[in-house]
Amino acid sequence: MKIATWNINGVKARLDTVLSWLEQSQPDITCFQEIKSVDENFPREAFEAAGYHLETHGQKGFNGVAILSKFPFDEVNCGLPGDDDDEQSRFIEGVFSTDRGVLRIVSLYLPNGNPVDSPKFPYKLSWLERLHAWAEARLELEEPLVLAGDYNVIPMPKDCHDPAVWEGDALFRPESRRAFRRLANLGFTDAVRAVTDEHGVYTFWDYQAGAWQKNNGIRIDHLLLSPEAARHLEGAEIEKYVRAWEKPSDHVPVVIDIAA
DNA sequence: ATGGTGGACGTTCCA
């Protein structure tokens, strides 16, 4: 069973690219971020024609998340609990039945948080606190659970090309890294770090200044696995070849393989 | 010193 996460940076601009990738990679479940579309305008027929069920949680212009699945949805929940005033579409949860039993998947898009002297940074930190509380409660279910998405957090210095450049940035601030570490320490496994300790393993390269050509990247797209999911983990891959395609997203898909 | 790149929206914001 292949489960993927990918910040596609706009479904309208990326439709052909995403469909080509789906055909090539053949994931069973895919979490999208930054669909940048309202639900009514999401090109769902193209994905249904490719054999997928689809649930979206979009908004106008920015943000927006979705889950694509070869399994029908037993349940879907939109929005991260904990703040009724939060109108940004950054969280969707799907529940599926597989041969092995229940499987719970989240597609999340954490706030960027820059600039750090604006309200955006405390919004990011409060969002992380809400995610922590939500995840702690969900772990009590003792189910296979995958929290997949663009966390906008560089967990460790080795997760970026040049830590000095990121000093002070919301993606690398100690508060952001600490919150991510605390979340993971609830009992999650960072799937990519379960298979490699290497420096220079990235999921995002900026469009500017030839970042891709210079491999000036960061690792900010993560799949956190509950113990019940992690014990079946068979592999994790960053499909970086997609970054070299025409009209790429600035992020690439991260794909895990779970025994199913 | 400036702008650097890209998507969506609408004459600017977000990343």
Side-chain angles (χ1 to χ4, degrees):
Chain A
M1 154 110 56
K2 288 178 72 175
I3 302 170
T5 183
W6 191 10
N7 179 324
I8 58 175
N9 191 18
V11 70
K12 292 180 197 68
R14 214 70 60 212
L15 185 58
D16 291 344
T17 304
V18 170
L19 291 171
S20 297
W21 171 76
L22 283 171
E23 191 170 343
Q24 178 167 335
S25 185
Q26 289 292 320
D28 296 286
I29 299 176
T30 303
C31 299
F32 289 140
Q33 300 85 39
E34 283 206 88
I35 62 174
K36 295 187 176 180
S37 169
V38 293
D39 297 333
E40 310 86 83
N41 293 342
F42 194 95
R44 56 183 308 127
E45 295 80 6
F47 294 98
E48 286 166 352
Y52 289 100
H53 302 270
L54 177 71
E55 292 288 347
T56 63
H57 180 45
Q59 69 179 89
K60 186 178 179 183
F62 313 104
N63 304 329
V65 287
I67 300 177
L68 201 61
S69 171
K70 289 188 174 169
F71 305 94
F73 287 76
D74 290 343
E75 185 183 328
V76 58
N77 299 301
C78 295
L80 177 63
D83 180 0
D84 293 340
D85 294 329
D86 185 0
E87 293 180 348
Q88 300 192 31
S89 297
R90 298 178 172 278
F91 183 99
I92 185 170
E93 174 190 30
V95 184
F96 307 94
S97 300
T98 71
D99 293 342
R100 205 184 266 279
V102 67
L103 178 60
R104 195 175 286 270
I105 306 285
V106 169
S107 178
L108 66 89
Y109 176 47
L110 240 132
N112 175 292
N114 284 306
V116 292
D117 59 356
S118 77
K120 293 180 180 185
F121 190 52
Y123 172 61
K124 175 179 196 160
L125 296 180
S126 72
W127 209 94
L128 274 160
E129 280 183 30
R130 288 160 57 199
L131 181 61
H132 186 102
W134 182 91
E136 191 165 32
R138 274 292 185 265
L139 282 174
E140 291 178 11
L141 298 175
E142 299 186 348
E143 293 173 347
L145 165 67
V146 180
L147 303 185
D150 176 358
Y151 282 72
N152 269 315
V153 176
I154 301 165
M156 301 282 282
K158 69 178 175 184
D159 294 313
C160 62
H161 180 74
D162 183 2
V165 167
W166 293 95
E167 197 72 43
D169 191 283
L171 278 63
F172 196 56
R173 277 282 291 251
E175 300 94 324
S176 307
R177 294 176 54 200
R178 176 174 182 273
F180 179 83
R181 190 166 62 244
R182 284 187 64 243
L183 172 66
N185 285 345
L186 287 171
F188 291 99
T189 296
D190 179 339
V192 166
R193 282 303 176 217
V195 303
T196 178
D197 290 331
E198 280 175 51
H199 185 282
V201 174
Y202 308 133
T203 66
F204 168 95
W205 296 260
D206 200 285
Y207 288 120
Q208 300 183 64
W212 165 247
Q213 287 74 14
K214 294 186 243 178
N215 195 29
N216 178 11
I218 52 178
R219 192 176 74 94
I220 55 174
D221 300 273
H222 311 297
L223 295 104
L224 294 186
L225 313 186
S226 72
E228 294 76 16
R231 63 190 291 266
H232 299 300
L233 180 66
E234 295 193 325
E237 289 282 339
I238 297 172
E239 301 203 348
K240 62 187 288 184
Y241 61 88
V242 176
R243 188 65 176 76
W245 286 3
E246 297 269 322
K247 279 194 55 158
S249 169
D250 38 7
H251 299 249
V252 298
V254 186
V255 185
I256 62 168
D257 193 13
I258 287 185

